[in-house]
Amino acid sequence: MHALAPLAGLVDLALPPRCPGCGEVTAAAHRFCARCWSGLRFLGPPWCASCHLPFEFDRGEDARCAECMADPPVHDGVRAAVAYSEVARSVALKLKYSGRLACAETMARAMERLMPAGAELLVPVPLHRWRIWSRGFNQAALVATALARTTGVRADAELLRRTKATPVLRGLGRKGRAKAVAGAFGLAPNARERLAGRTVVLVDDVHTSGATADACARVLKRGGAARVILLCWARVLDGQGLEPMAD
Protein backbone atom coordinates (compact mmCIF):
# COMPACT_ATOMS: atom_id res chain seq x y z
CA MET A 1 0.00 0.00 0.00
CA HIS A 2 1.22 3.50 -0.83
CA ALA A 3 2.30 5.49 2.22
CA LEU A 4 -0.19 8.25 1.43
CA ALA A 5 -3.15 5.91 0.98
CA PRO A 6 -4.51 6.45 4.55
CA LEU A 7 -4.38 10.22 4.04
CA ALA A 8 -6.19 9.83 0.72
CA GLY A 9 -8.89 7.87 2.55
CA LEU A 10 -9.33 10.67 5.07
CA VAL A 11 -9.64 13.20 2.26
CA ASP A 12 -12.30 11.05 0.61
CA LEU A 13 -14.27 11.02 3.84
CA ALA A 14 -13.96 14.76 4.27
CA LEU A 15 -14.67 15.55 0.61
CA PRO A 16 -16.69 12.71 -0.90
CA PRO A 17 -16.84 12.51 -4.71
CA ARG A 18 -19.87 14.12 -6.26
CA CYS A 19 -21.78 13.79 -9.51
CA PRO A 20 -20.34 16.23 -12.09
CA GLY A 21 -23.88 17.04 -13.22
CA CYS A 22 -25.91 17.70 -10.07
CA GLY A 23 -23.48 17.45 -7.17
CA GLU A 24 -25.02 14.37 -5.53
CA VAL A 25 -22.53 12.18 -3.63
CA THR A 26 -21.33 9.25 -5.77
CA ALA A 27 -19.17 6.17 -5.27
CA ALA A 28 -16.18 7.51 -7.24
CA ALA A 29 -14.81 10.72 -8.71
CA HIS A 30 -16.06 11.69 -12.20
CA ARG A 31 -18.96 9.26 -11.92
CA PHE A 32 -22.49 10.48 -12.65
CA CYS A 33 -25.49 9.65 -10.51
CA ALA A 34 -28.15 7.42 -12.10
CA ARG A 35 -30.42 10.37 -12.89
CA CYS A 36 -27.73 12.42 -14.64
CA TRP A 37 -26.30 9.36 -16.40
CA SER A 38 -29.71 8.70 -17.95
CA GLY A 39 -29.73 12.32 -19.17
CA LEU A 40 -26.58 11.81 -21.25
CA ARG A 41 -26.69 10.59 -24.84
CA PHE A 42 -23.31 9.22 -25.83
CA LEU A 43 -22.41 9.74 -29.47
CA GLY A 44 -20.45 7.68 -31.97
CA PRO A 45 -20.82 5.76 -35.24
CA PRO A 46 -22.80 5.40 -37.40
CA TRP A 47 -22.18 8.96 -38.49
CA CYS A 48 -21.56 11.19 -41.49
CA ALA A 49 -18.22 10.34 -43.09
CA SER A 50 -17.43 14.04 -43.39
CA CYS A 51 -18.68 15.91 -40.30
CA HIS A 52 -19.48 12.90 -38.04
CA LEU A 53 -23.08 14.00 -37.48
CA PRO A 54 -24.75 10.94 -35.88
CA PHE A 55 -27.08 8.89 -38.10
CA GLU A 56 -30.12 7.02 -36.81
CA PHE A 57 -29.00 3.95 -38.77
CA ASP A 58 -25.93 2.82 -40.71
CA ARG A 59 -25.98 4.31 -44.21
CA GLY A 60 -22.63 2.93 -45.25
CA GLU A 61 -19.00 3.80 -44.59
CA ASP A 62 -18.84 6.73 -47.04
CA ALA A 63 -22.34 8.14 -46.46
CA ARG A 64 -22.53 11.90 -45.98
CA CYS A 65 -25.25 14.12 -44.58
CA ALA A 66 -27.08 16.49 -46.91
CA GLU A 67 -25.31 19.56 -45.52
CA CYS A 68 -21.84 18.10 -46.13
CA MET A 69 -22.76 17.08 -49.68
CA ALA A 70 -23.86 20.65 -50.38
CA ASP A 71 -21.06 22.41 -48.47
CA PRO A 72 -18.21 20.20 -47.15
CA PRO A 73 -16.64 21.46 -43.89
CA VAL A 74 -13.07 22.71 -43.64
CA HIS A 75 -12.33 20.30 -40.79
CA ASP A 76 -12.19 16.50 -41.00
CA GLY A 77 -15.01 15.70 -38.63
CA VAL A 78 -16.44 16.57 -35.22
CA ARG A 79 -16.21 13.85 -32.60
CA ALA A 80 -18.35 14.64 -29.55
CA ALA A 81 -18.60 12.48 -26.44
CA VAL A 82 -22.24 13.40 -25.78
CA ALA A 83 -25.14 15.30 -27.26
CA TYR A 84 -25.77 18.73 -25.75
CA SER A 85 -28.34 18.38 -22.97
CA GLU A 86 -29.18 19.84 -19.58
CA VAL A 87 -26.66 17.54 -17.91
CA ALA A 88 -23.92 18.12 -20.50
CA ARG A 89 -24.53 21.86 -20.29
CA SER A 90 -24.31 21.78 -16.49
CA VAL A 91 -20.88 20.11 -16.58
CA ALA A 92 -19.58 22.59 -19.16
CA LEU A 93 -20.88 25.59 -17.21
CA LYS A 94 -19.31 24.37 -13.96
CA LEU A 95 -15.93 24.24 -15.64
CA LYS A 96 -16.26 27.41 -17.68
CA TYR A 97 -17.82 29.81 -15.20
CA SER A 98 -17.64 28.21 -11.73
CA GLY A 99 -14.01 27.16 -11.77
CA ARG A 100 -14.78 23.47 -11.15
CA LEU A 101 -11.52 22.41 -12.80
CA ALA A 102 -12.07 18.69 -12.12
CA CYS A 103 -14.80 18.80 -14.76
CA ALA A 104 -12.05 19.03 -17.39
CA GLU A 105 -10.96 15.51 -16.48
CA THR A 106 -14.58 14.33 -16.44
CA MET A 107 -14.95 15.56 -20.03
CA ALA A 108 -11.60 14.11 -21.12
CA ARG A 109 -12.48 10.67 -19.76
CA ALA A 110 -15.64 10.60 -21.87
CA MET A 111 -13.85 11.99 -24.94
CA GLU A 112 -10.89 9.59 -24.83
CA ARG A 113 -12.77 6.73 -26.55
CA LEU A 114 -13.19 8.91 -29.66
CA MET A 115 -9.53 9.89 -30.02
CA PRO A 116 -8.75 9.49 -33.75
CA ALA A 117 -6.28 6.82 -34.79
CA GLY A 118 -2.97 8.40 -35.75
CA ALA A 119 -3.54 11.57 -33.73
CA GLU A 120 -0.22 13.40 -33.34
CA LEU A 121 -1.03 16.69 -31.65
CA LEU A 122 -3.72 18.08 -29.35
CA VAL A 123 -4.48 21.77 -29.94
CA PRO A 124 -7.10 23.50 -27.76
CA VAL A 125 -9.34 26.17 -29.23
CA PRO A 126 -7.70 29.33 -27.87
CA LEU A 127 -9.23 32.18 -25.90
CA HIS A 128 -8.24 35.78 -26.35
CA ARG A 129 -5.83 36.98 -23.66
CA TRP A 130 -8.44 39.39 -22.26
CA ARG A 131 -10.83 36.51 -21.62
CA ILE A 132 -8.10 34.42 -20.02
CA TRP A 133 -7.23 37.34 -17.74
CA SER A 134 -10.85 37.64 -16.62
CA ARG A 135 -11.53 33.89 -16.29
CA GLY A 136 -8.09 32.75 -15.20
CA PHE A 137 -7.85 29.78 -17.56
CA ASN A 138 -8.84 28.36 -20.94
CA GLN A 139 -11.24 25.47 -20.39
CA ALA A 140 -10.31 23.82 -23.71
CA ALA A 141 -6.64 23.84 -22.71
CA LEU A 142 -7.47 22.11 -19.42
CA VAL A 143 -9.37 19.38 -21.28
CA ALA A 144 -6.50 18.98 -23.77
CA THR A 145 -4.01 18.62 -20.91
CA ALA A 146 -6.18 15.93 -19.29
CA LEU A 147 -6.41 14.08 -22.62
CA ALA A 148 -2.64 14.28 -23.07
CA ARG A 149 -2.10 12.61 -19.69
CA THR A 150 -4.29 9.62 -20.54
CA THR A 151 -3.54 9.17 -24.26
CA GLY A 152 0.13 10.13 -24.49
CA VAL A 153 -0.61 12.51 -27.38
CA ARG A 154 1.21 15.80 -26.87
CA ALA A 155 -0.83 18.94 -26.18
CA ASP A 156 0.31 22.35 -27.42
CA ALA A 157 -1.67 25.30 -26.08
CA GLU A 158 0.60 27.92 -27.64
CA LEU A 159 0.52 26.85 -31.30
CA LEU A 160 -2.90 28.30 -32.20
CA ARG A 161 -3.74 31.78 -30.93
CA ARG A 162 -6.80 34.00 -30.87
CA THR A 163 -5.43 37.23 -32.24
CA LYS A 164 -8.67 39.21 -32.21
CA ALA A 165 -11.24 39.55 -29.45
CA THR A 166 -14.65 38.39 -30.65
CA PRO A 167 -18.13 39.18 -29.37
CA VAL A 168 -20.20 36.57 -27.54
CA LEU A 169 -21.57 34.32 -30.28
CA ARG A 170 -24.73 33.29 -28.43
CA GLY A 171 -27.78 34.48 -30.33
CA LEU A 172 -25.96 34.97 -33.62
CA GLY A 173 -27.01 32.95 -36.66
CA ARG A 174 -24.64 30.75 -38.62
CA LYS A 175 -23.53 33.58 -40.93
CA GLY A 176 -23.17 35.98 -38.00
CA ARG A 177 -20.95 33.56 -36.10
CA ALA A 178 -18.77 32.92 -39.16
CA LYS A 179 -18.33 36.65 -39.69
CA ALA A 180 -17.52 37.23 -36.00
CA VAL A 181 -14.63 34.71 -35.97
CA ALA A 182 -13.24 35.51 -39.42
CA GLY A 183 -9.58 36.47 -39.05
CA ALA A 184 -9.68 35.87 -35.30
CA PHE A 185 -7.04 33.10 -35.20
CA GLY A 186 -3.37 32.89 -36.03
CA LEU A 187 -0.35 30.66 -35.52
CA ALA A 188 2.76 30.92 -33.38
CA PRO A 189 5.91 31.98 -35.30
CA ASN A 190 7.35 28.45 -35.51
CA ALA A 191 4.03 26.64 -35.96
CA ARG A 192 4.67 25.38 -39.48
CA GLU A 193 7.50 23.14 -38.30
CA ARG A 194 5.25 21.63 -35.62
CA LEU A 195 2.26 21.19 -37.94
CA ALA A 196 3.81 19.89 -41.17
CA GLY A 197 1.86 16.84 -42.34
CA ARG A 198 0.42 16.07 -38.91
CA THR A 199 -3.01 14.87 -37.83
CA VAL A 200 -4.18 17.52 -35.39
CA VAL A 201 -6.96 17.04 -32.83
CA LEU A 202 -8.62 20.39 -32.11
CA VAL A 203 -10.04 20.27 -28.57
CA ASP A 204 -13.07 22.21 -27.32
CA ASP A 205 -15.83 21.90 -24.74
CA VAL A 206 -19.02 22.47 -26.76
CA HIS A 207 -19.56 22.44 -30.53
CA THR A 208 -22.41 24.65 -31.70
CA SER A 209 -22.60 26.08 -35.24
CA GLY A 210 -19.13 25.03 -36.34
CA ALA A 211 -17.97 28.57 -37.09
CA THR A 212 -15.12 28.45 -34.57
CA ALA A 213 -14.03 24.94 -35.60
CA ASP A 214 -13.97 25.90 -39.28
CA ALA A 215 -12.00 29.07 -38.60
CA CYS A 216 -9.42 27.18 -36.52
CA ALA A 217 -9.17 24.29 -38.99
CA ARG A 218 -8.63 26.69 -41.88
CA VAL A 219 -5.68 28.33 -40.10
CA LEU A 220 -4.16 25.00 -39.03
CA LYS A 221 -4.38 23.55 -42.54
CA ARG A 222 -2.86 26.66 -44.07
CA GLY A 223 -0.05 26.14 -41.59
CA GLY A 224 0.60 22.64 -42.92
CA ALA A 225 -1.63 20.26 -40.93
CA ALA A 226 -2.73 17.26 -43.00
CA ARG A 227 -5.95 16.66 -41.06
CA VAL A 228 -7.83 18.58 -38.37
CA ILE A 229 -10.42 16.67 -36.35
CA LEU A 230 -12.43 18.40 -33.64
CA LEU A 231 -12.83 16.43 -30.39
CA CYS A 232 -15.23 17.92 -27.86
CA TRP A 233 -17.35 17.14 -24.83
CA ALA A 234 -20.81 17.99 -26.24
CA ARG A 235 -22.35 18.73 -29.61
CA VAL A 236 -25.51 20.73 -30.20
CA LEU A 237 -27.85 18.72 -32.43
CA ASP A 238 -30.87 20.07 -34.27
CA GLY A 239 -34.16 20.12 -32.41
CA GLN A 240 -32.74 19.97 -28.89
CA GLY A 241 -34.52 23.13 -27.74
CA LEU A 242 -31.66 24.28 -25.48
CA GLU A 243 -29.93 27.62 -25.64
CA PRO A 244 -26.31 26.88 -26.67
CA MET A 245 -23.45 28.26 -24.62
CA ALA A 246 -21.39 31.12 -25.95
CA ASP A 247 -18.29 30.07 -27.92
Side-chain angles (χ1 to χ4, degrees):
M1 180 181 291
H2 194 282
L4 295 181
L7 291 178
L10 291 174
V11 171
D12 288 341
L13 289 174
L15 299 172
R18 295 183 178 275
C19 170
C22 68
E24 179 179 314
V25 174
T26 55
H30 309 289
R31 184 174 297 179
F32 290 88
C33 68
R35 182 177 63 255
C36 287
W37 181 263
S38 66
L40 291 171
R41 174 189 171 191
F42 289 87
L43 302 180
W47 54 24
C48 169
S50 184
C51 74
H52 295 164
L53 180 74
F55 288 153
E56 292 296 328
F57 58 89
D58 194 345
R59 303 182 187 179
E61 185 177 350
D62 296 322
R64 285 166 170 75
C65 66
E67 187 170 339
C68 284
M69 287 191 288
D71 185 20
V74 179
H75 56 70
D76 297 282
V78 177
R79 300 186 176 206
V82 298
Y84 193 68
S85 65
E86 289 289 359
V87 177
R89 181 175 184 269
S90 175
V91 176
L93 287 174
K94 285 179 180 179
L95 172 60
K96 197 168 186 175
Y97 298 119
S98 299
R100 298 283 295 277
L101 304 188
C103 288
E105 185 173 344
T106 300
M107 294 179 184
R109 289 185 177 202
M111 294 159 61
E112 183 182 351
R113 66 185 173 87
L114 295 175
M115 179 69 74
E120 298 172 276
L121 191 63
L122 295 166
V123 176
V125 171
L127 289 180
H128 192 268
R129 61 182 182 276
W130 293 348
R131 194 159 294 176
I132 292 178
W133 288 342
S134 62
R135 188 176 298 167
F137 58 88
N138 175 4
Q139 71 279 358
L142 294 177
V143 177
T145 299
L147 278 168
R149 284 197 301 267
T150 59
T151 65
V153 179
R154 186 168 64 88
D156 191 335
E158 299 299 325
L159 188 148
L160 183 64
R161 301 174 178 182
R162 192 178 292 247
T163 57
K164 182 179 75 173
T166 54
V168 173
L169 303 186
R170 186 191 298 114
L172 298 179
R174 183 176 295 271
K175 290 184 178 179
R177 285 174 176 249
K179 183 178 180 181
V181 297
F185 301 96
L187 295 174
N190 61 343
R192 290 185 178 274
E193 299 174 9
R194 291 137 72 184
L195 282 174
R198 294 184 179 277
T199 294
V200 175
V201 176
L202 183 67
V203 180
D204 206 0
D205 54 353
V206 177
H207 177 75
T208 50
S209 70
T212 299
D214 275 347
C216 290
R218 188 173 289 110
V219 171
L220 290 167
K221 287 192 171 184
R222 285 175 182 169
R227 300 174 71 214
V228 179
I229 301 165
L230 178 67
L231 181 59
C232 61
W233 158 243
R235 180 174 185 167
V236 176
L237 301 177
D238 291 339
Q240 289 185 290
L242 288 171
E243 176 66 20
M245 292 168 51
D247 283 16

